[in-house]
Amino acid sequence: MQVSGAAGGEPPIHASMLAYPDWTLKQHWDDRGALAEIRRGSWDFVVLQGHSLSTLEARERLHEYGRRFDSAIREAGARTVFFMTWARRGRPEMLAAVRDGYGSIAAELGAVLVPVGPAWQLAHERHPEIHLWHVDGSHPSPAGTYLAAAMFYGVLTGGGSAVGADHEGFGYLDTAEIRALQEVAAELVAGPSSGQEEDRDSA
């Protein structure tokens, strides 16, 4: 929402999040809290993300519960969005499995795909001085969080770019870092198969 506001996005993106540490889609399904939120029926998009190792350790389960959630999301009049995550620091080989795991289920369901992992890879290659990972090597740093948000902004607005947007509110990042991340996101969103859609509300 901050990225959308800074970029002057109209209409604005409104979002709500239901997330718990290390949870899988199966745990969210069994808990029923996410289903209740989806069935409120006020969303245009619902974003699904499994545990960071889901595509390596439990791909079929990720797909199974992705299908279940997709059915519920469609029934509520929304569209499913898959958050393609990134490889852990020092394990770049993870990205191939992440790409395939999220890409294949998104293609099967005709869902939107936000390729955050490939954006991280490109940003890290071009700007290794920008620290995308938290010190644990798994979770995002403020820069990684910003890059992910810029990717979501671009995809959910059907190709909108945050390049040049005011970085007020992101004081933990300097102007050069913000601009570099904006440019990476814009390049990835402009590429093929990002699953672009018009700007709407997102769960």
Side-chain angles (χ1 to χ4, degrees), residues 1-25:
M1 292 186 292
Q2 282 182 282
V3 172
S4 176
E10 290 294 340
I13 292 175
H14 301 286
S16 176
M17 182 173 70
L18 186 62
Y20 303 105
D22 299 327
W23 272 38
T24 64
L25 292 185

Side-chain angles (χ1 to χ4, degrees), residues 8-132:
E10 290 294 340
I13 292 175
H14 301 286
S16 176
M17 182 173 70
L18 186 62
Y20 303 105
D22 299 327
W23 272 38
T24 64
L25 292 185
K26 180 182 186 304
Q27 286 172 297
H28 278 292
W29 181 267
D30 292 342
D31 178 69
R32 316 303 279 185
L35 282 172
E37 188 71 10
I38 290 166
R39 288 167 176 162
R40 288 200 300 114
S42 61
W43 308 111
D44 293 298
F45 297 111
V46 176
V47 178
L48 300 179
Q49 177 198 334
H51 181 274
S52 63
L53 297 178
S54 294
T55 53
L56 281 75
E57 298 177 349
R59 172 189 164 117
E60 291 308 314
R61 182 167 289 182
L62 174 72
H63 285 195
E64 175 188 349
Y65 286 91
R67 295 183 188 103
R68 294 190 187 192
F69 270 112
D70 181 66
S71 294
I73 290 164
R74 289 174 184 271
E75 288 175 4
R79 189 168 182 193
T80 301
V81 179
F82 282 98
F83 183 154
M84 182 190 289
T85 54
W86 51 85
R88 292 188 174 184
R89 186 174 56 208
R91 296 184 62 186
E93 72 281 358
M94 281 181 58
L95 188 57
V98 172
R99 278 180 182 268
D100 184 61
Y102 281 105
S104 59
I105 189 62
E108 174 190 323
L109 298 174
V112 178
L113 181 67
V114 183
V116 176
W120 273 48
Q121 180 185 46
L122 182 60
H124 184 60
E125 289 172 354
R126 290 186 179 173
H127 306 283
E129 75 282 1
I130 298 178
H131 300 290
L132 299 173

Side-chain angles (χ1 to χ4, degrees), residues 150-195:
M151 287 297 296
F152 270 90
Y153 172 74
V155 172
L156 296 186
T157 56
S161 171
V163 173
D166 191 333
H167 72 286
E168 184 177 355
F170 304 98
Y172 41 72
L173 299 173
D174 64 35
T175 303
E177 289 176 319
I178 286 282
R179 182 62 182 234
L181 297 173
Q182 290 172 344
E183 290 175 351
V184 167
E187 181 176 334
L188 265 290
V189 169
S193 70
S194 58

